[in-house]
Every structure is written in C-alpha cells, then in structure tokens.
Amino acid sequence: MKNLCLVLDTRYTNDSGSSVVKLRISKDKKMAYISTDVKLKKEQWNTESGMVVNHPRARAVNLFLSERLAEVEELLMVHHEKFLSMTASEIVKAIKEIQKPKPVVVEKPTDLFVPYFEGFVARKDKKRTIDLYNATLKKIKNF
C-alpha cells in the first residue's frame, strides 16, 4: 500500500535555515521523495497538519502544495496497476517521468514572435513609430 504526504525535509537546510517541502511516498516501509521546490523555515511549517503557517503567503503556498499533492494522488490512482510491483523510489522515478514537460516544437523562433510583434505594431498610432517597428520586423524576418 502506498502512502503520500507533505513533509518539510529538515535533513538539509540552506544558509538561511530554510528546508524544502517534499512529497513523501512510502511503500512497504521504504520512503522516496519528490521536491516541490517550496523552501520554508521550520517555524513556518505545521508538522501535524502538513500546512504552511506564519508565512506572508501561507494561503497561496498551501494552495500550490495541495494542488501538487492532488496531481500525484491522481497519478497514483490512474497508474495503480503499474505501480503495484514497484518500490517507492521506482514510483517516484515513474511519476517524475510522467510529469516531465513535453517539449514544444517550433519550426523557427520567429513563428511565435512575428505574429505577436505584428499585432503590437498594429496597436501603434504614430506613423514614424510604425515605420521604425516595420523596419525592425523586416530585419528580423530576413535574419
């Protein structure tokens, strides 16, 4: 059976005394962690509730952490059969692979920039400004 929770990993702290909040997956008494990239001081974390306290943006950070927790819980449910025979560290590797962002394929960098820049120029009023921007756009297209 897999168990999932948020923990403040105080085993490692930076110079300012902050530690990373991690998602802990435990299975068969073995644990593995997924970093959330949220860094907090020990006094900003409630261990019992697994929530951020005494932080200026506690509400926003708690929302972010609960969304990450829900994402991983959903992946655990969807891929339940696949994860049955895996260890905790193998499950973490599989989840990281599933969550890896897919690369965006763009033919040329100008495919995204040119339409945006043309719209930007269209919103201008002064003729000289429009002429300068159009000359710049021509150089970009020729590049």
Side-chain angles (χ1 to χ4, degrees):
M1 185 67 192
K2 294 168 287 300
N3 188 11
L4 179 68
C5 64
L6 288 165
V7 294
L8 183 64
D9 191 1
T10 55
R11 297 175 298 174
Y12 310 101
T13 58
N14 62 14
D15 294 337
S16 66
S18 297
S19 301
V20 178
V21 177
K22 295 183 177 182
L23 288 158
R24 180 176 64 199
I25 295 177
S26 55
K27 181 181 178 192
D28 301 329
K29 299 181 184 176
K30 303 284 184 190
M31 292 177 241
Y33 299 88
I34 300 173
S35 176
T36 62
D37 296 325
V38 173
K39 294 182 177 117
L40 299 171
K41 295 184 178 182
K42 196 170 187 176
E43 59 271 7
Q44 295 175 323
W45 183 254
N46 183 333
T47 307
E48 293 172 10
S49 66
M51 296 182 76
V52 179
V53 294
N54 302 327
H55 186 277
R57 299 192 43 171
R59 195 173 193 179
V61 175
N62 279 325
L63 179 63
F64 170 77
L65 292 173
S66 63
E67 287 174 355
R68 288 282 288 142
L69 185 65
E71 286 174 19
V72 174
E73 283 177 340
E74 182 179 352
L75 286 172
L76 288 173
M77 286 189 294
V78 169
H79 300 282
H80 175 73
E81 295 293 323
K82 176 182 174 184
F83 293 150
L84 280 175
S85 61
M86 294 179 153
T87 65
S89 58
E90 291 171 338
I91 291 171
V92 167
K93 285 179 187 174
I95 288 173
K96 286 180 179 178
E97 188 63 33
I98 292 168
Q99 288 184 325
K100 192 182 290 184
K102 308 296 184 251
V104 177
V105 179
V106 178
E107 293 293 322
K108 295 186 255 178
T110 56
D111 290 347
L112 296 176
F113 179 74
V114 171
Y116 170 80
F117 195 74
E118 287 171 341
F120 175 78
V121 173
R123 292 189 301 270
K124 299 300 171 191
D125 296 327
K126 296 180 181 177
K127 183 176 179 355
R128 179 70 181 142
T129 302
I130 294 170
D131 291 342
L132 286 171
Y133 284 143
N134 282 331
T136 303
L137 184 59
K138 184 178 179 182
K139 287 182 180 183
I140 290 171
K141 285 180 178 178
N142 289 336
F143 181 71

